[in-house]
Amino acid sequence: MSKINTLELTSFKAFRDRLVLSLDEKNVLLFGENGSGKTSIYEALKFAFFHEKIERKTIPASTQPEDVIEKKRELYDSYKNVNATNPFTIQINGTNHDVIVRDNYQVFLINYDDFTLPNDCIVLEDILYNLYFDFNGHTPSSLLQLLGTELETAVNKTLNEQFSESIQVEFDKGDKYRCILSDLDGRLKYGTNISHYFNEGKIHLVLLIIYINVSLLLADRTKTNILVLDDFITSLDVANRAFVLKFLFGEIQKQTSLQTFIFTHNVSFYNLTKYYIHAYLSVEDKEKWKFHNLYSLDNNVHKIYPLND
């Protein structure tokens, strides 16, 4: 299956003018300060691949048929650049987002909002419902019934072998797969009010490992798999960021059908990731990455610059 070669946006969110992200079917590492438009690119990918889900979540099922068109217009207008007069466009490989052959792609999107826990607990059925993941036709409940045990094993293996963490997880199947966190000696074991007992960095590391392992278990090698990570390390402990890269790149290298996008506003993490690619990947795997910087200039103009050596 063909990976993404170009992403072209016009009048979309931060971008009043045309912006083209050239990928050459490679993975991309993109740095952009807050306000540069980085998250607008993330939102464009989300809208391109999940606009039907966004519509379902935004427009209540109880909406009267005569009001649906107006609600949909309001939704689309919310994505249009405030200074644009024409409707926005999102094109992937020259094809408008609404006519993309969706069956060619399997997409997994992760950004900083996915690490918010309103009830201070990890209830997997609820968390998965809110993710913009392709679940191969499963509901979160049916997916967890099918893969819950395998996922729990994979998460604990990753925590132990990749991160040397003392924290472990246990899924409570009788409570919507609530995630029980414990340390190895059993002194701490909690599934509610978890921030009282475990620091934010540990909790968010567990969530990230869950998300990545879900995407790995679901990946369909007959399709182009797209993994997008937008500012996903903001709350992680600095000491764990290098381990995250080792884990992430180890999995990326195993999957020839996977195209990965990493967006960050953290210049240290950008430099660390770029260093990791140059220092630890083979020559062949280095060639699979492109580097871009995104800038917001005067008069609400945004420019993207390729930085490959």
Side-chain angles (χ1 to χ4, degrees):
M1 292 295 178
S2 177
K3 296 181 179 180
I4 297 178
N5 182 47
T6 59
L7 173 66
E8 182 177 332
L9 311 177
T10 306
S11 303
F12 186 86
K13 282 196 167 283
F15 307 115
R16 180 190 62 197
D17 302 315
R18 178 172 173 265
L19 181 119
V20 179
L21 181 62
S22 297
L23 303 174
D24 300 328
E25 298 191 359
K26 296 183 179 182
N27 306 309
V28 61
L29 172 64
L30 183 146
F31 168 77
E33 295 181 347
N34 288 330
S36 64
K38 168 179 51 61
T39 298
S40 291
I41 296 177
Y42 174 87
E43 289 292 331
L45 288 166
K46 183 167 80 172
F47 199 88
F49 289 111
F50 291 100
H51 59 275
E52 293 179 348
K53 179 174 180 177
I54 292 171
E55 289 175 13
R56 289 195 302 270
K57 292 181 72 171
T58 305
I59 303 173
S62 59
T63 303
Q64 295 298 316
E66 60 270 20
D67 296 328
V68 169
I69 293 177
E70 178 61 21
K71 292 290 185 182
K72 188 178 292 189
R73 185 192 64 78
E74 292 174 358
L75 171 63
Y76 274 64
D77 282 349
S78 71
Y79 285 88
K80 187 173 72 172
N81 180 274
V82 294
N83 296 311
T85 55
N86 296 321
F88 70 80
T89 61
I90 305 171
Q91 291 192 331
I92 292 177
N93 296 345
T95 301
N96 287 333
H97 77 274
D98 53 347
V99 292
I100 292 171
V101 181
R102 192 63 177 81
D103 287 343
N104 290 344
Y105 297 94
Q106 187 171 23
V107 183
F108 308 98
L109 305 179
I110 303 169
N111 84 340
Y112 53 87
D113 288 336
D114 298 319
F115 297 89
T116 301
L117 296 174
N119 298 314
D120 202 13
C121 58
I122 302 172
V123 180
L124 288 181
E125 281 192 24
D126 295 339
I127 286 174
L128 294 183
Y129 174 79
N130 287 314
L131 287 179
Y132 285 89
F133 274 29
D134 282 326
F135 291 123
N136 291 335
H138 289 285
T139 64
S141 176
S142 66
L143 175 69
L144 288 167
Q145 290 174 29
L146 180 67
L147 297 176
T149 300
E150 190 175 356
L151 177 61
E152 181 182 304
T153 300
V155 170
N156 285 324
K157 182 179 180 180
T158 302
L159 283 165
N160 179 253
E161 296 182 1
Q162 299 285 346
F163 293 88
S164 299
E165 282 287 346
S166 61
I167 193 170
Q168 293 283 275
V169 303
E170 178 184 342
F171 299 157
D172 184 352
K173 299 177 183 179
D175 191 14
K176 300 175 69 176
Y177 286 80
R178 181 184 299 272
C179 187
I180 312 298
L181 303 182
S182 64
D183 60 1
L184 290 181
D185 61 16
R187 290 178 301 172
L188 297 175
K189 190 172 184 178
Y190 295 96
T192 58
N193 300 318
I194 57 177
S195 66
H196 291 272
Y197 309 102
F198 302 93
N199 71 45
E200 183 183 57
K202 299 290 187 187
I203 295 169
H204 289 193
L205 177 63
V206 169
L207 284 169
L208 177 62
I209 291 172
I210 289 172
Y211 298 155
I212 297 298
N213 276 292
V214 168
S215 70
L216 295 174
L217 290 171
L218 284 172
D220 183 345
R221 274 48 173 192
T222 67
K223 300 181 179 182
T224 294
N225 289 269
I226 306 292
L227 174 64
V228 186
L229 301 156
D230 176 33
D231 274 339
F232 67 106
I233 54 87
T234 302
S235 59
L236 290 182
D237 295 338
V238 173
N240 267 329
R241 294 178 184 180
F243 291 112
V244 166
L245 291 177
K246 181 181 178 182
F247 165 55
L248 185 62
F249 279 96
E251 297 303 332
I252 290 172
Q253 289 170 266
K254 295 176 185 176
Q255 300 188 60
T256 58
S257 65
L258 178 65
Q259 186 175 20
T260 304
F261 296 70
I262 298 177
F263 301 156
T264 183
H265 75 276
N266 186 305
V267 67
S268 297
F269 184 70
Y270 175 84
N271 289 332
L272 177 63
T273 306
K274 194 171 182 182
Y275 170 79
Y276 190 97
I277 291 169
H278 286 302
Y280 294 105
L281 299 191
S282 67
V283 173
E284 181 183 359
D285 286 326
K286 288 177 191 175
E287 292 299 316
K288 297 177 182 177
W289 283 88
K290 297 198 74 172
F291 310 100
H292 291 82
N293 275 12
L294 182 63
Y295 294 99
S296 177
L297 308 176
D298 293 337
N299 301 317
N300 197 32
V301 174
H302 298 260
K303 295 291 184 181
I304 192 163
Y305 298 97
L307 295 175
N308 283 58
D309 296 333

